[in-house]
Amino acid sequence: MKRVEARLSEVQPLIKNIGNYRQLKPIYDDYQKSKNKPDFRAKHEAELVIFEAAKSSLLATQGSEKLPSLKALHAEKRLLLEEQQRFYDERAKLKKQVKEIDTIKANVDSYLSPNASHERENKRGSELE
């Protein structure tokens, strides 16, 4: 489960950053071609900041490697989420079984303990009176 969650924590920001990078790359290219860069930057400050953050994050994580396709990353994320859900379902099932076993054990221990049997006899005796 930890392996799945660790990979999910890698894939999710990668998807976000690649999406931002690809979506905002045309604006960045226009900025590079612009003759009046300060004016263009003022108009598109938010988009350029997001693009530059995505670019620097991708360079830090991917280096000079080719970016993976978003389609492949989304498919991997879907599979990881399905696997994570299976783990959570299995864990919930096992927790329920442990709880049932603990209850059965407590009942058996209660029945078999000498003090409990003595108390049960006393109760029966007082009920009969």
Side-chain angles (χ1 to χ4, degrees):
M1 187 144 77
K2 288 181 181 181
R3 177 192 58 81
V4 170
E5 289 173 347
R7 183 61 185 153
L8 267 173
S9 69
E10 294 171 5
V11 168
Q12 289 174 327
L14 194 57
I15 289 171
K16 179 184 170 199
N17 287 325
I18 290 173
N20 286 339
Y21 179 86
R22 289 190 177 153
Q23 178 185 6
L24 299 172
K25 178 93 167 92
I27 293 172
Y28 182 77
D29 290 342
D30 291 344
Y31 169 69
Q32 294 295 337
K33 295 175 190 173
S34 174
K35 296 196 189 300
N36 188 356
K37 290 187 194 269
D39 200 31
F40 189 93
R41 184 158 191 93
K43 288 181 184 175
H44 300 281
E45 183 72 29
E47 292 96 340
L48 291 172
V49 167
I50 293 170
F51 173 82
E52 290 165 354
K55 182 179 177 182
S56 66
S57 176
L58 289 171
L59 283 173
T61 58
Q62 295 297 110
S64 60
E65 293 179 26
K66 183 180 175 187
L67 295 177
S69 77
L70 277 176
K71 186 177 181 180
L73 286 173
H74 281 294
E76 182 181 2
K77 180 182 174 183
R78 182 181 44 79
L79 291 174
L80 289 168
L81 288 172
E82 288 172 2
E83 189 173 354
Q84 183 183 42
Q85 188 59 49
R86 280 195 306 273
F87 283 137
Y88 284 147
D89 291 345
E90 183 179 336
R91 183 173 148 204
K93 180 181 169 186
L94 291 173
K95 277 186 166 185
K96 185 178 178 182
Q97 287 176 346
V98 165
K99 187 176 179 181
E100 288 174 2
I101 290 170
D102 285 344
T103 302
I104 292 169
K105 182 184 179 303
N107 289 340
V108 169
D109 288 346
S110 170
Y111 185 77
L112 295 178
S113 73
N115 293 339
S117 64
H118 182 42
E119 289 174 14
R120 279 193 299 273
E121 289 175 10
N122 288 341
K123 275 186 180 179
R124 282 191 201 134
S126 65
E127 287 175 2
L128 292 174
E129 293 175 357

